[in-house]
Structures are given as structure tokens and as C-alpha cells.
Amino acid sequence: SSSPQPLLQCSHLRMTRDAIVLTRESCRRSGKVFCARIMYAWFMKLVVVLLIMIWLFSPGGSLSKQQWVAIKLNAACDQNSEGIRPIISFDKMADKSHCMAECEERVQCNAIDWFNRTGRCCLYKKACLTPAATWDGASSYMEVRPCNLHGKKGIELFGHCNTTYSMPTFVDSGISTGTHLLGSQLSW
């Protein structure tokens, strides 16, 4: 009796008599389809990333708006050891976002205090480092602004340009996301 034939022969990938015969040409075609599917999947990933980035950076998107960072979530600059005083105070604001918007409309304003229980809003030219007012649900925030120090991008924190961090830009985010997408084994 004859020995059983292998299921596949490496030279032209022929299967046994009961299965479909795959020639070199059909393998080339199926390889092209495989490559086309991979390229389409990558194209769609890049389209999705691009659409998300456009949404984030478009007018009204979260990264197109002024960015804020908390100085302290449970204390305000209304009392501090640096002698920093508010440029103006409002006794009753609707909410913290209105207080921030009021600051954003003023060129000289860089920081706010928000008193959650009373709705009090204080605007500051300079953010304090040592907020100590802890009454009425106090909290303090400062605007995050881009800066440049010796040709390096950064963000202004407490009046100094810190180049450890920078504001996200459309191009920088695209390069970073694209590099991560290409380098990640999980995205293959």
C-alpha cells in the first residue's frame, strides 16, 4: 500500500485530491487580497484617528478651548502667603465655567478662585503658589498658556516657561498618534 500524501506541498501548495488545488498563481492572488485587506484596515484606522483629531482641534472641540489646570482643589488664593490679591471679585456666578469664561475675556487675567457653596468668583493677574482659603468649597485654577524658551515649546506655569510639557497641536498629536499606531503590535 502507498504512504499517505502530505496535505500541502511547499513548491506549489497543492492539497490532496479531495481538496481545492492551490497553484502558485492562486496563492499570489490570495496574497494580494490579504495585502489589500491589511492596507484597507490601516487606511480606515488612519481615517478614524484623523477624524477624532479634527473633532478635538476644531472650533468647539475640547482642545481648541482655553485649557485650565487646578492649583488646588480644596483651597483658594483669596488667602495666600505671597500677598497676591484678586484684580476683581464677583459675589455670585452661575458656575465655575462662567467664572473661567469671565477670566478668559480679560487679557490681564491668568487665574481664578471658585467658591462652590457661595458662587463667589475671584480673578487674578498671577496665580498663587500657596492657596490657603479653605472656606465655602474653595478651589483655585490657572490658565495653561503656550510659551517658547530658547526655541523649545512649553507651557507657562506660575509665570515661568516649563518645557517639560507643551500644549497639544494638531501636527504634534498626529505624529505622536501615528508613530504609536505603527509601533504598537496590538494595532497590527
Side-chain angles (χ1 to χ4, degrees):
S1 137
S2 64
S3 62
Q5 291 185 344
L7 286 177
L8 291 173
Q9 293 178 3
C10 292
S11 63
H12 49 280
L13 298 174
R14 237 180 236 288
M15 299 185 85
T16 60
R17 63 187 132 105
D18 299 341
I20 299 171
V21 175
L22 296 174
T23 64
R24 284 185 188 167
E25 184 56 35
S26 66
C27 287
R28 277 192 208 112
R29 278 192 300 248
S30 66
K32 287 179 183 176
V33 169
F34 175 75
C35 288
R37 286 180 178 166
I38 291 292
M39 289 179 72
Y40 178 75
W42 273 97
F43 174 76
M44 290 311 296
K45 285 179 187 180
L46 292 175
V47 165
V48 167
V49 166
L50 183 63
L51 289 174
I52 289 170
M53 287 179 45
I54 288 170
W55 173 72
L56 287 172
F57 285 95
S58 66
S62 61
L63 292 177
S64 68
K65 297 176 184 171
Q66 177 61 50
Q67 301 295 307
W68 290 82
V69 64
I71 300 168
K72 201 157 188 184
L73 292 173
N74 59 356
C77 293
D78 201 24
Q79 186 178 9
N80 64 76
S81 61
E82 300 139 83
I84 295 173
R85 307 284 2 124
I87 52 176
I88 191 167
S89 294
F90 301 94
D91 287 334
K92 195 73 176 158
M93 281 265 177
D95 57 31
K96 181 175 60 180
S97 64
H98 282 86
C99 183
M100 289 174 171
E102 189 69 39
C103 182
E104 290 168 12
E105 291 176 12
R106 299 167 188 262
V107 176
Q108 73 275 19
C109 185
N110 294 302
I112 68 158
D113 283 346
W114 172 248
F115 295 86
N116 197 43
R117 286 192 207 111
T118 61
R120 185 164 181 249
C121 170
C122 301
L123 308 183
Y124 295 86
K125 185 174 185 174
K126 182 179 176 186
C128 77
L129 293 168
T130 58
T134 57
W135 55 84
D136 294 333
S139 56
S140 53
Y141 302 86
M142 66 178 171
E143 285 184 306
V144 178
R145 294 186 174 162
C147 62
N148 200 312
L149 182 66
H150 308 298
K152 263 187 105 174
K153 292 179 186 177
I155 57 171
E156 187 179 319
L157 294 173
F158 300 106
H160 302 291
C161 187
N162 182 334
T163 57
T164 305
Y165 308 101
S166 65
M167 297 290 282
T169 65
F170 186 82
V171 172
D172 293 340
S173 297
I175 290 170
S176 173
T177 304
T179 303
H180 181 72
L181 190 64
L182 291 172
S184 171
Q185 293 178 350
L186 296 175
S187 68
W188 291 88

